[in-house]
């Protein structure tokens, strides 16, 4: 099992993300996740840098594999443009890049005024987008495509990696998981849902890799960790499909008022006790994930990485987790 570090574009400046990537490698993490947003979930998070610029900078300071978690190649940015951005990232990272994709959220994808599609249409779009991107990566001649959702006219990507560029797809429900099993090279989620992990395997995913990620809130005390987690990432406790349909950080702030501090304390590991951080991985290990990525909430990322370097990662590897 690989253990990676999850870089939150919504919470940290580009310079902070780049430094965290460097420190993650020094601390012994195996890879990086990097979120891709146009807006943060709320104004308290306060950031949302262009992910492709950040990836270029990260490629110059560390040699860890990078996965976008996740990019939506359907509405805000045309898949032909994402294909070029991903190919360049793979070249900069010497092939250590995985394009993680998902059907997205209205929060990020509505900004050009497009109608936010229903989930069945979004799944249609992402399947066609994957077809377009793979053609652009693998065909040495100009590509034209006239599909239901996308048109490409004599396009060719000249700068691309020597080997095939993998695509992993997120699946937070059965329909998306089935599509991921059929069209993707791996699976991504943020829930330790063994049922969906098994569904991915059984419906075509087989032994393809499965990644999962979660957040912790390191702080000198558990109380401070709970406070900062609730203040910065209270939206993590929102149920159902709200995360896919609310259009602005303001709406998420309003909806997050329904999430109590007690709920946050139950759902996010907080504080500085190494054994609590080790235990947070257990549900994902038990669910059978091959790669697990952990993000930190708040200003103590350097201290969190020291704890993981000295205690958490060695214990996880000693115990076989």
């Amino acid at each position: 099992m690989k253990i990676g570090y999850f870089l939150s574009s919504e919470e940290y400046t580009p310079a902070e993300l780049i430094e965290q990537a460097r420190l993650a490698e020094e601390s012994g993490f195996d890879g990086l996740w990097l979120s891709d947003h146009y807006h943060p979930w709320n104004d308290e998070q306060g950031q949302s840098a262009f992910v492709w610029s950040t990836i270029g900078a990260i490629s110059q300071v560390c040699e860890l594999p990078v996965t976008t978690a996740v990019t939506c190649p359907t509405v805000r940015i045309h898949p032909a443009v994402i294909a070029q951005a991903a190919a360049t990232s793979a070249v900069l990272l010497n092939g250590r890049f995985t394009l993680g994709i998902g059907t997205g959220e209205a929060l990020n994808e509505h900004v050009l005024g497009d109608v936010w599609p229903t989930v069945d249409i979004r799944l249609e779009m992402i399947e066609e987008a994957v077809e377009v991107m793979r053609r652009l990566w693998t065909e040495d001649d100009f590509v034209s495509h006239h599909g239901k959702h996308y048109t490409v006219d004599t396009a060719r990507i000249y700068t691309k990696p020597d080997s095939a560029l993998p695509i992993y797809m997120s699946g937070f429900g059965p329909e998306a998981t089935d599509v991921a099993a059929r069209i993707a090279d791996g699976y991504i989620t943020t829930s330790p849902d063994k049922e969906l992990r098994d569904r991915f395997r059984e419906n075509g995913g087989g032994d393809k890799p499965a990644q999962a990620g979660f957040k912790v809130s390191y702080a000198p005390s558990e109380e401070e960790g709970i406070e900062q987690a609730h203040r910065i990432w209270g939206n993590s406790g929102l149920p159902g499909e709200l995360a896919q349909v609310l259009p602005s950080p303001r709406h998420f702030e309003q909806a997050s008022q329904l999430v109590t501090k007690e709920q946050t304390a139950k759902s996010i590991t907080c504080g500085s006790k190494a054994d609590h951080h080790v235990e947070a991985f257990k549900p994902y290990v038990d669910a059978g994930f091959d790669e697990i990525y952990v993000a930190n909430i708040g200003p103590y990322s350097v201290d969190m990485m020291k704890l993981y370097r000295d205690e958490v990662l060695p214990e996880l590897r000693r115990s076989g987790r």
Side-chain angles (χ1 to χ4, degrees):
M1 184 190 72
K2 296 180 180 179
I3 303 169
Y5 189 80
F6 185 178
L7 300 165
S8 295
S9 299
E10 309 93 309
E11 186 180 346
Y12 300 102
T13 67
E16 289 171 329
L17 294 171
I18 294 159
E19 179 64 5
Q20 287 178 20
R22 186 186 67 79
L23 290 172
E25 183 174 36
E26 289 183 359
S27 301
F29 287 94
D30 298 314
L32 298 171
W33 260 15
L34 179 59
S35 58
D36 179 6
H37 272 240
Y38 193 90
H39 292 139
W41 298 101
N42 56 58
D43 284 350
E44 187 67 36
Q45 293 167 5
Q47 297 293 328
S48 211
F50 190 56
V51 72
W52 305 106
S53 301
T54 305
I55 290 171
I58 287 172
S59 73
Q60 303 304 296
V61 301
C62 87
E63 296 186 357
L64 291 178
V66 176
T67 302
T68 50
V70 291
T71 290
C72 180
T74 58
V75 178
R76 174 170 47 99
I77 304 180
H78 193 285
V81 179
I82 295 293
Q84 185 189 27
T88 300
S89 297
V91 170
L92 284 168
L93 288 160
N94 294 317
R96 301 185 308 275
F97 179 72
T98 296
L99 179 62
I101 61 170
T103 58
E105 306 91 14
L107 174 72
N108 302 302
E109 305 305 317
H110 81 283
V111 296
L112 301 181
D114 298 277
V115 173
W116 183 235
T118 58
V119 65
D120 56 330
I121 300 300
R122 300 203 307 270
L123 288 170
E124 274 186 12
M125 294 173 76
I126 205 166
E127 189 158 3
E128 186 177 337
V130 167
E131 177 189 352
V132 167
M133 292 188 293
R134 284 196 170 126
R135 287 192 63 194
L136 286 164
W137 292 331
T138 58
E139 296 184 19
D140 293 328
D141 204 351
F142 289 93
V143 171
S144 292
H145 173 90
H146 301 280
K148 181 176 180 180
H149 299 289
Y150 303 108
T151 297
V152 178
D153 182 18
T154 55
R156 181 179 177 185
I157 294 176
Y158 281 82
T159 301
K160 53 189 177 182
D162 295 331
S163 57
L165 207 164
I167 293 176
Y168 289 15
M169 181 177 162
S170 67
F172 301 127
E175 295 85 0
T177 300
D178 290 347
V179 174
R182 187 172 70 252
I183 71 171
D185 303 303
Y187 178 59
I188 289 175
T189 188
T190 56
S191 171
D193 191 322
K194 188 177 187 303
E195 184 176 335
L196 286 179
R197 173 68 180 100
D198 290 344
R199 185 180 183 112
F200 174 79
R201 285 175 172 157
E202 293 162 4
N203 289 352
D207 60 357
K208 295 176 184 177
Q211 300 179 340
F214 67 97
K215 292 179 175 62
V216 299
S217 182
Y218 180 97
S221 69
E222 185 175 4
E223 293 75 17
E224 184 179 353
I226 293 169
E227 186 282 326
Q228 69 190 15
H230 188 66
R231 174 172 49 84
I232 301 172
W233 283 91
N235 60 280
S236 293
L238 292 176
E241 298 180 24
L242 283 176
Q244 279 71 54
V245 300
L246 295 179
S248 78
R250 184 176 306 161
H251 293 96
F252 277 92
E253 289 166 3
Q254 294 167 359
S256 295
Q257 294 176 22
L258 301 173
V259 181
T260 67
K261 190 175 289 189
E262 290 72 25
Q263 288 172 316
T264 299
K266 288 180 180 179
S267 63
I268 297 177
T269 296
C270 300
S272 59
K273 294 182 178 179
D275 57 333
H276 291 183
H277 285 262
V278 170
E279 193 65 21
F281 283 79
K282 188 176 187 302
Y284 298 88
V285 174
D286 292 346
F289 286 95
D290 307 290
E291 301 179 27
I292 303 172
Y293 293 78
V294 57
N296 188 54
I297 297 170
Y300 299 107
S301 293
V302 173
D303 295 322
M304 177 267 198
M305 289 199 203
K306 288 179 181 176
L307 178 73
Y308 274 64
R309 179 195 65 198
D310 296 339
E311 300 185 55
V312 177
L313 294 179
E315 177 58 29
L316 287 169
R317 286 164 180 150
R318 270 196 302 270
S319 64
R321 292 181 182 175

